[in-house]
């Protein structure tokens, strides 16, 4: 199979809104996915988990994460802001709230058609 490099522009990709207060663009590869997200102040995704490994790269703003990585009962609260990266191994239950409007990159491996925001949505993902 021939492999061909592709170039993308966030400005030219479709934007979807699987739940309130989120703008999302995605590029999906064979073994990895990257999403460019704007989470508006007050955005909330309920705690969820997935098998995919996830990196959240904060470009601006501030998010509060609830992370259930020890006993799974009491969450560890973690606030992250611009210049920080959060690594979530697969299977770690987590939720997030935008303390202020935030711009970030989410990287998933392997790619996921359905992410936590899709799991919390009543809409079908685009």
């Amino acid at each position: 199979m021939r492999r061909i490099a592709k170039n993308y522009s966030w400005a030219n990709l479709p934007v979807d809104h699987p739940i309130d207060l989120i703008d999302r663009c995605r590029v999906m590869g064979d073994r990895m996915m990257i999403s460019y997200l704007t989470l508006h102040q007050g955005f909330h995704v309920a705690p969820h988990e997935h098998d995919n490994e996830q990196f959240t790269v904060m470009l601006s703003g501030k998010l509060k994460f609830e992370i259930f990585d020890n006993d799974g009962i009491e969450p560890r609260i973690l606030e992250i802001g611009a210049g920080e990266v959060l690594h979530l191994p697969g299977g770690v239950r987590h939720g997030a709230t935008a303390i202020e409007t935030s711009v970030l990159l989410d990287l998933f491996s392997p790619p996921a058609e359905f992410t936590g925001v899709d799991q919390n949505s009543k809409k079908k993902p685009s």
Side-chain angles (χ1 to χ4, degrees):
M1 173 195 271
R2 187 168 175 220
R3 299 278 182 187
I4 298 172
K6 296 180 183 177
N7 182 41
Y8 298 91
S9 169
W10 294 119
N12 294 329
L13 291 172
V15 177
D16 72 339
H17 314 276
I19 61 176
D20 291 339
L21 302 175
I22 182 174
D23 307 323
R24 175 179 70 180
C25 298
R26 299 193 283 183
V27 175
M28 298 180 90
D30 294 333
R31 290 177 273 192
M32 175 168 204
M33 173 181 84
I34 185 168
S35 299
Y36 181 87
L37 304 166
T38 300
L39 307 180
H40 300 276
Q41 185 174 13
F43 163 88
H44 177 74
V45 62
H48 61 280
E49 64 184 74
H50 40 74
D51 292 333
N52 318 74
E53 184 173 22
Q54 177 180 348
F55 286 90
T56 296
V57 180
M58 294 295 295
L59 302 176
S60 67
K62 188 178 281 189
L63 297 180
K64 178 177 82 173
F65 277 86
E66 296 174 281
I67 302 171
F68 298 83
D69 56 356
N70 290 315
D71 59 12
I73 298 168
E74 285 295 318
R76 176 169 56 109
I77 305 302
L78 181 63
E79 289 187 9
I80 64 171
E84 295 184 83
V85 177
L86 175 63
H87 173 224
L88 294 162
V92 173
R93 189 166 175 76
H94 60 282
T97 302
I99 298 169
E100 56 190 60
T101 296
S102 302
V103 177
L104 56 132
L105 301 173
D106 262 346
L107 294 91
F108 278 71
S109 181
E113 181 74 22
F114 303 100
T115 65
V117 293
D118 298 301
Q119 293 173 20
N120 284 271
S121 173
K122 300 203 182 339
K123 303 175 189 176
K124 184 178 179 178
S126 56

